[in-house]
Every structure is written in structure tokens, then in C-alpha cells.
Amino acid sequence: MIGLVLLDRAGRGMPWREGGDAPDGRPEPRGHSKGKKEKAAGDKGVSTARAGLVFGVSALATLIAGVVIERSGEEFFARQGLSGVLFGATVLAAATSLPEVSTGLTSTKLGDYQLAVSDIFGGNAFLPVLFLLATLISGKPVLPAAHDTDIYLTALGIILTVVYMAGLVFRPRRQYARMGVDSIAAVVIYLVGIAGLATLAT
């Protein structure tokens, strides 16, 4: 909650910088995509209540699909001789990230790059809060039950986040295959990390 308060304050401006936008961070002024989407929805006659209903139904469908994918996928990969942790770190992670991919692609098409970045980093910032929910549901702390593979994945996630944090600070301009140096480093680290996870899991 304190983080959300600080985030709202940072959105209004930082004391060490005029405004809060990074250089070349967006082709159009802040909030332009919201205005475009509201205008498009108004032109189509979509009300706020209908939009909320669609959002709620979609969220429920995502929740149900997530449970189905986890149960069926883990059973399938277990029959193939793969461990659950490998399935979770690859297939399940890719499947559950599809909503973020959709949001990222849509926001990029609208020219609102900050929405794409905030969607990814915001999700990473919120997900650890689910440990509290898991603890409340199970009635006992879940972190002490973490396996060595869980700790390994935590470290891998931290390293990947640090790579992009460095990219945000230094903003490398050079690209290879239309990817920045930070993105290439993240892909390489992820592949090496998954290979190491496979070794650790077996």
C-alpha cells in the first residue's frame, strides 16, 4: 500500500526531475491513449457498466482457465517425465503471461509505451502479495516450505529484473535483430537459467 502511494506521488513528478517522463519515452503526451479509447468506446455506444461487466466476466474466465491449465498441464507433463517446476517455469509461465502480452501489444500500437512497461513491472510488484493470500488460505506460512528450485527461480527473476532496471537507467541505443542489448541479455540469461533449473530439478 505504501508503494502504491509513492507510485502515485512519483506520477505527479519527482523532486530530481521536471515531470516524470523519461526522454523519448512516449511519442505522444501522457494520457493520450485513455482519451482515444474513451472516444472510441463512446462512438460505439459502450457504456461504463457494460465495460465493467465484460471486464468482470473476462477476469473470471481467466481465473478458471488458469486453474484448468495448471491442473491439466502438470498432469500431462508429469506423464512425459517432466517435473512440475519446469512446467511452471516455462509453459505455465508463458500461458499466464498472455494477458500481459495482449496488453503490451495493444498499448504499443496505441503509442503508450509506459502502459506496457507498467503492466509488466506492476505485475511483478503485485504478485509477491499473493504469498499473503496463500498464507491466509492455507493457515500456515508458505515461504518456509520453499524448495531449492523455488529459491533458484526467485534469484533468476531478480537477475532478469535487474537487467531491465539497468536498461532503464542507461538506455542503450544500439540494437541487434531489433532488440536492445538489455533484451538480448535477458533472453540469454533466461535460457541459461532454465537449463540450470532443469539440471537442478533432476
Side-chain angles (χ1 to χ4, degrees), residues 14-164:
M14 302 294 288
W16 44 267
R17 181 178 182 81
E18 293 185 5
D21 296 328
D24 302 325
R26 68 176 80 239
E28 300 188 56
R30 175 181 299 209
H32 73 92
S33 62
K34 179 180 178 181
K36 289 180 180 178
K37 287 183 288 186
E38 288 180 349
K39 184 178 183 304
D43 293 340
K44 294 180 181 179
V46 179
S47 63
T48 303
R50 181 182 175 186
L53 178 62
V54 171
F55 177 82
V57 172
S58 301
L60 181 61
T62 302
L63 175 63
I64 296 173
V67 175
V68 172
I69 290 174
E70 191 278 332
R71 299 294 178 129
S72 59
E74 187 172 6
E75 176 66 22
F76 173 78
F77 279 86
R79 294 183 181 182
Q80 306 301 318
L82 295 177
S83 64
V85 65
L86 280 177
F87 167 73
T90 54
V91 179
L92 184 60
T96 55
S97 66
L98 289 178
E100 291 181 331
V101 172
S102 174
T103 302
L105 291 176
T106 303
S107 59
T108 301
K109 289 180 179 179
L110 291 171
D112 194 347
Y113 305 132
Q114 185 174 4
L115 177 59
V117 175
S118 300
D119 178 44
I120 296 170
F121 283 113
N124 291 345
F126 173 76
L127 288 176
V129 178
L130 297 180
F131 282 120
L132 172 62
L133 182 61
T135 298
L136 294 175
I137 293 176
S138 63
K140 57 183 179 180
V142 296
L143 285 178
H147 298 286
D148 50 357
T149 51
D150 300 322
I151 299 173
Y152 179 93
L153 281 174
T154 301
L156 180 60
I158 291 173
I159 293 172
L160 290 172
T161 303
V162 168
V163 168
Y164 279 114

Side-chain angles (χ1 to χ4, degrees), residues 179-191:
M179 291 194 302
V181 177
D182 47 354
S183 295
I184 295 174
V187 171
V188 171
I189 291 172
Y190 176 77
L191 294 176

